[in-house]
Amino acid sequence: MADNCILITGAAGFIGSHCVVALAEAGYNVIAMENSKSTNNLAFQQINKILGWEVKTCRCDLLNYEEIVKIFERYKITTVIHLAAMKGVSESMNYPIECYRKNLVSTLNLLEVMRLYGVKNLIFSSSCAIYGNQVQMPVAETALPHSISNVYGKSKLFIEKILSDLSRSDKEFKITILRYFNPVGAHSSGLIGEDPKRKQISFLTLLGKAALDKEMNLSLFGSSNIRDFVHVMDVGEAHVAAVSNLESGDSFKVFNIGSGIGISLLQLIKIFEHVNCVKISYTIKDRQESEIEAIIADTTLAETDLGWKSRKTVEEMCTDCWKWMTYNAINF
Ligand SMILES: NC(=O)c1ccc[n+]([C@@H]2O[C@H](COP(=O)([O-])OP(=O)(O)OC[C@H]3O[C@@H](n4cnc5c(N)ncnc54)[C@H](O)[C@@H]3O)[C@@H](O)[C@H]2O)c1
């Protein structure tokens, strides 16, 4: 039985792959978990290239309780970083049952197995989507959710509530919730990044697609919408900070993970074009009603309690994303 492992669910995904690299490089013994479809994902081969050794991987669908039990039987897991989820906002609106099942049932299965095996350290991937539409900017962790317009955001909020109830009922559970704002970019090697073939991709990856495909004209809804973009490797580092902080302070903690800087979608296009010397064809359209005008993180708490602050610039987000897109264009 391998000792003191950190289990990372959704490890071949966009954020998961960068977390695996950050934690493995920080010296943690990582088990990268994925469901059956993605176990042989290119991401794991690329992660191994970055690390220079083979990361441990396992196949498991979190909707299958017995499969999770097998993983906990096999490894001595001490901490779980739970990223696996269905994250498509529009998909969540069209398929609410599937979204709730994929996000809630898989989390409940995981929590039950964790309790069964006495594994009580958890870091959970939440989202700024749980804030809904806020007036006060930047948004602090204490802000009350307001008018959450999509099923995905609601599913994350429900899980947060479940975790809060769990920590209240069992004081041995140490739970940290990380509310990511807009993770973008890629590893600076260009070896891992966000798969542009997925249904739901970040705005920056969409820009990369538009820059690669000269025929593509981007419909830019809400060009003045303000977002808080944060480099995905900074997000990975936030997990390293959260793991080392799990044992200290409160047993239930929530942190915003963003850059604390708001920039508009149009500004991001201009920066992307400038730093990468490319042209993107786009047409400005009206903001869609369901879209939030602005969301910016107050990151004070992460800075003071976790000792974490995003370090990479928006220019680095754009160059790293473009490097990933151009190096791997043949696979897309
Ligand atoms: N990317 C963002 O902008 C963003 C923002 C806020 C929060 N988040 C959250 O961060 C987490 C990771 O997001 P991402 O962008 O890396 O998503 P992603 O889709 O790239 O990765 C998610 C991974 O989870 C795996 N997965 C899904 N269901 C599973 C299951 N039942 N069992 C095992 N594996 C399963 C998928 O195969 C996928 O590889 C998600 O929880 C997401 O909601 C993402």
Side-chain angles (χ1 to χ4, degrees), residues 9-16 33-35 38 60-63 82-87 102 106 125-128 152 156 180-183 194 198 202:
T9 75
F14 173 41
I15 299 171
M33 179 201 272
E34 259 299 333
N35 60 11
S38 353
C60 172
D61 192 320
L62 293 168
L63 290 172
H82 180 34
L83 292 119
M86 171 176 160
K87 68 167 181 178
K102 284 184 183 166
S106 61
S125 300
S126 189
S127 163
C128 65
Y152 164 73
K156 289 287 177 186
Y180 315 145
F181 277 61
N182 291 85
E194 185 175 33
R198 292 257 171 110
S202 68

Side-chain angles (χ1 to χ4, degrees), residues 254-270:
V254 183
F255 297 104
N256 284 341
I257 301 300
S259 63
I261 299 164
I263 67 165
S264 75
L265 302 187
L266 195 55
Q267 275 176 301
L268 190 67
I269 294 184
K270 300 287 178 208

Side-chain angles (χ1 to χ4, degrees), residues 150-325:
N150 60 74
V151 172
Y152 164 73
K154 287 178 201 165
S155 77
K156 289 287 177 186
L157 185 62
F158 294 154
I159 297 170
E160 286 200 11
K161 291 196 180 303
I162 291 167
L163 295 177
S164 161
D165 289 339
L166 176 61
S167 84
R168 211 173 297 123
S169 75
D170 184 340
K171 295 286 174 225
E172 286 179 4
F173 263 95
K174 307 274 182 212
I175 298 174
T176 295
I177 290 174
L178 300 181
R179 292 178 182 155
Y180 315 145
F181 277 61
N182 291 85
V184 291
H187 190 266
S188 58
S189 62
L191 287 169
I192 51 170
E194 185 175 33
D195 183 351
K197 295 192 297 304
R198 292 257 171 110
K199 276 186 203 148
Q200 174 93 12
I201 52 173
S202 68
F203 185 65
L204 201 53
T205 303
L206 188 62
L207 294 189
K209 268 178 102 163
L212 276 178
D213 181 355
K214 303 288 173 225
E215 311 272 283
M216 185 169 162
N217 182 277
L218 200 69
S219 294
L220 184 59
F221 297 98
S223 57
S224 60
N225 283 353
I226 303 290
R227 295 289 177 266
D228 178 327
F229 296 102
V230 55
H231 196 292
V232 66
M233 272 315 291
D234 278 334
V235 176
E237 293 302 332
H239 291 76
V240 177
V243 167
S244 66
N245 172 272
L246 262 173
E247 300 287 338
S248 56
D250 294 342
S251 55
F252 181 79
K253 292 173 275 196
V254 183
F255 297 104
N256 284 341
I257 301 300
S259 63
I261 299 164
I263 67 165
S264 75
L265 302 187
L266 195 55
Q267 275 176 301
L268 190 67
I269 294 184
K270 300 287 178 208
I271 297 169
F272 189 93
E273 288 186 321
H274 177 70
V275 297
N276 294 319
C277 303
V278 291
K279 266 314 277 159
I280 290 168
S281 162
Y282 57 89
T283 308
I284 293 182
K285 304 248 169 105
D286 288 343
R287 191 170 68 83
Q288 290 175 319
E289 240 176 68
S290 57
E291 279 174 23
I292 288 164
E293 259 184 272
I295 185 110
I296 305 166
D298 180 341
T299 57
T300 312
L301 204 60
E303 283 175 41
T304 53
D305 289 19
L306 284 184
W308 173 87
K309 189 172 167 36
S310 76
R311 288 182 308 165
K312 292 186 182 268
T313 62
V314 72
E315 285 78 9
E316 284 171 287
M317 299 174 204
C318 292
T319 50
D320 289 342
C321 171
W322 186 232
K323 196 178 199 182
W324 150 253
M325 296 290 289

